[in-house]
Amino acid sequence: MPDTLNDKLVVAISSRALFNLEAGHKVFEEEGLEAYRHYQVAHEDCVLEPGEAFPLVRKLLNINHLLGDVSRVEVILLSRNSADTGLRVFNSIEEYGLDIRRAAFCGGESPYRYVPAFNSHLFLSTDVDDVRKALADGFAAATVLSSISKERQETDELRIAFDGDAVIFSDEAERVYQQSGLQAFTEAERSSAHQPLPGGPFKPFLAMIQDIQLEFGERHCPIRTALVTARSTTAHERVIRTLRSWNIRLDEAIFLGGLDKGAFLKAFQADMFFDDQVRHCDSARAHVSTGHVPHGVTNESKEGVFYTESQQEE
């Protein structure tokens, strides 16, 4: 029977998010494509250093082993490299023992178009244009930012933290805050406390994570999730009732009332944190790996864009 991606959590990731390819990227920017090709071929037997999302990927793939080698998580590599210049990436995947079996090497073109073809639940890249296109197509996606802190949680437990509005939920409530202020936002959330919020781009991904958590049953679950939101407890009820209506449970919920998120994400020991707002991403990446979600009202103006120019993705 042929292997399929049905009923799997599928994460598509770019090669620059998985591995540190900055040296090669610098050659490309300064000397051009042909010099880049020669550089990669000359170094194809040199194992690449892990990139920002490497620990997340390693822990995701380890879930299959913890479930008794059941294939519940699939990681797909998407790259602008050609298969020829991408041989170094293949060699590094093998060296680290990553069970990545599927890949698309796009020879200089954007690989995001393969996100739906692979039935992806999450797309991680360092190219903000690719991420925006994936989000516009309805997929959870984030621009992986370089972390200031190099501390890593040295355990097999996978810890993922999410912002709420415009990430797990739609930006409906955030629009009220941005347009009318805190008081109007608080009043609107209280009056709509029993009306579930529409889902945001990360709702399906979170639902798949919970499905896998449930498969561990009474055994120790190696996945822990958290909502880390700038909302205060005066606007908590609608959030709780929305998650309840979706039959989704988060392990932790932290209502910060506007405090910086970084220290709390460090305390949670997040392997990755997803947020739509630049200032929260800046706070977070001082401590943990962070994915900016360029979605919703705060990203509709220039101020909401983390990068103003597209980055060349390898």
Side-chain angles (χ1 to χ4, degrees), residues 3-306:
D3 189 15
T4 72
L5 296 174
N6 296 334
D7 300 321
K8 292 183 181 181
L9 170 65
V10 180
V11 176
I13 186 167
S14 73
S15 50
R16 277 186 71 198
L18 182 60
F19 294 116
N20 184 345
L21 286 159
E22 292 311 306
H25 184 61
K26 185 176 181 181
V27 171
F28 173 82
E29 287 185 320
E30 295 180 354
E31 302 179 42
L33 181 59
E34 188 62 19
Y36 169 78
R37 188 184 73 79
H38 284 296
Y39 176 86
Q40 291 294 57
V41 171
H43 291 81
E44 63 187 26
D45 292 326
C46 299
V47 177
L48 291 161
E49 292 294 319
E52 198 66 42
F54 184 95
L56 176 75
V57 167
R58 181 181 64 80
K59 291 182 180 184
L60 280 167
L61 290 171
N62 190 50
I63 290 169
N64 293 331
H65 173 68
L66 295 174
L67 284 171
D69 294 320
V70 175
S71 183
R72 285 290 283 117
V73 179
E74 177 108 15
V75 175
I76 311 288
L77 183 74
L78 300 183
S79 177
R80 286 182 187 265
N81 275 301
S82 66
D84 182 43
T85 59
L87 183 57
R88 187 182 183 189
V89 176
F90 275 129
N91 291 341
S92 298
I93 287 172
E94 184 175 359
E95 181 67 25
Y96 286 111
L98 299 177
D99 187 18
I100 297 177
R101 306 178 184 182
R102 293 181 168 96
F105 287 87
C106 299
E109 293 192 355
S110 169
Y112 93 93
R113 64 187 183 277
Y114 292 110
V115 170
F118 280 116
N119 297 319
S120 306
H121 295 96
L122 175 65
F123 174 49
L124 298 175
S125 175
T126 59
D127 189 303
V128 67
D129 286 345
D130 282 356
V131 168
R132 284 182 177 276
K133 289 170 183 174
L135 285 163
D137 286 342
F139 295 92
T143 310
V144 177
L145 308 176
S146 97
S147 177
I148 298 171
S149 170
K150 299 305 177 184
E151 294 181 14
R152 290 289 183 269
Q153 182 190 6
E154 298 299 328
T155 71
D156 289 331
E157 186 174 55
L158 172 62
R159 291 182 170 234
I160 307 177
F162 305 85
D163 179 37
D165 296 303
V167 179
I168 297 176
F169 313 117
S170 76
D171 69 341
E172 174 187 298
E174 183 64 31
R175 285 185 180 275
V176 174
Y177 174 76
Q178 294 293 332
Q179 294 166 6
S180 304
L182 179 59
Q183 183 175 346
F185 164 82
T186 302
E187 291 174 355
E189 289 303 280
R190 282 175 172 169
S191 64
S192 303
H194 291 264
Q195 179 182 340
L197 284 155
F202 277 71
K203 177 189 174 184
F205 172 67
L206 178 58
M208 282 296 297
I209 288 290
Q210 178 170 275
D211 286 347
I212 294 173
Q213 285 179 303
L214 293 174
E215 292 187 32
F216 284 90
E218 295 182 358
R219 291 178 290 170
H220 170 70
C221 180
I223 308 171
R224 194 162 183 85
T225 57
L227 170 69
V228 182
T229 174
R231 285 174 178 248
S232 68
T233 55
T234 58
H236 74 288
E237 185 176 356
R238 192 179 187 193
V239 166
I240 293 171
R241 291 188 180 277
T242 296
L243 292 170
R244 187 180 295 170
S245 73
W246 295 347
N247 198 29
I248 288 178
R249 179 188 62 82
L250 287 148
D251 296 297
E252 299 187 25
I254 306 169
F255 297 89
L256 294 176
L259 291 175
D260 283 346
K261 297 184 178 183
F264 297 91
L265 291 161
K266 180 181 180 181
F268 177 68
Q269 295 182 301
D271 289 296
M272 185 70 73
F273 171 59
F274 298 105
D275 200 298
D276 67 303
Q277 295 196 38
V278 172
R279 65 187 181 92
H280 295 317
C281 289
D282 254 341
S283 175
R285 72 193 187 109
H287 304 283
V288 300
S289 295
T290 304
H292 177 229
V293 182
H295 174 74
V297 63
T298 61
N299 291 282
E300 291 177 355
S301 64
K302 185 175 181 181
E303 289 74 19
V305 181
F306 206 95

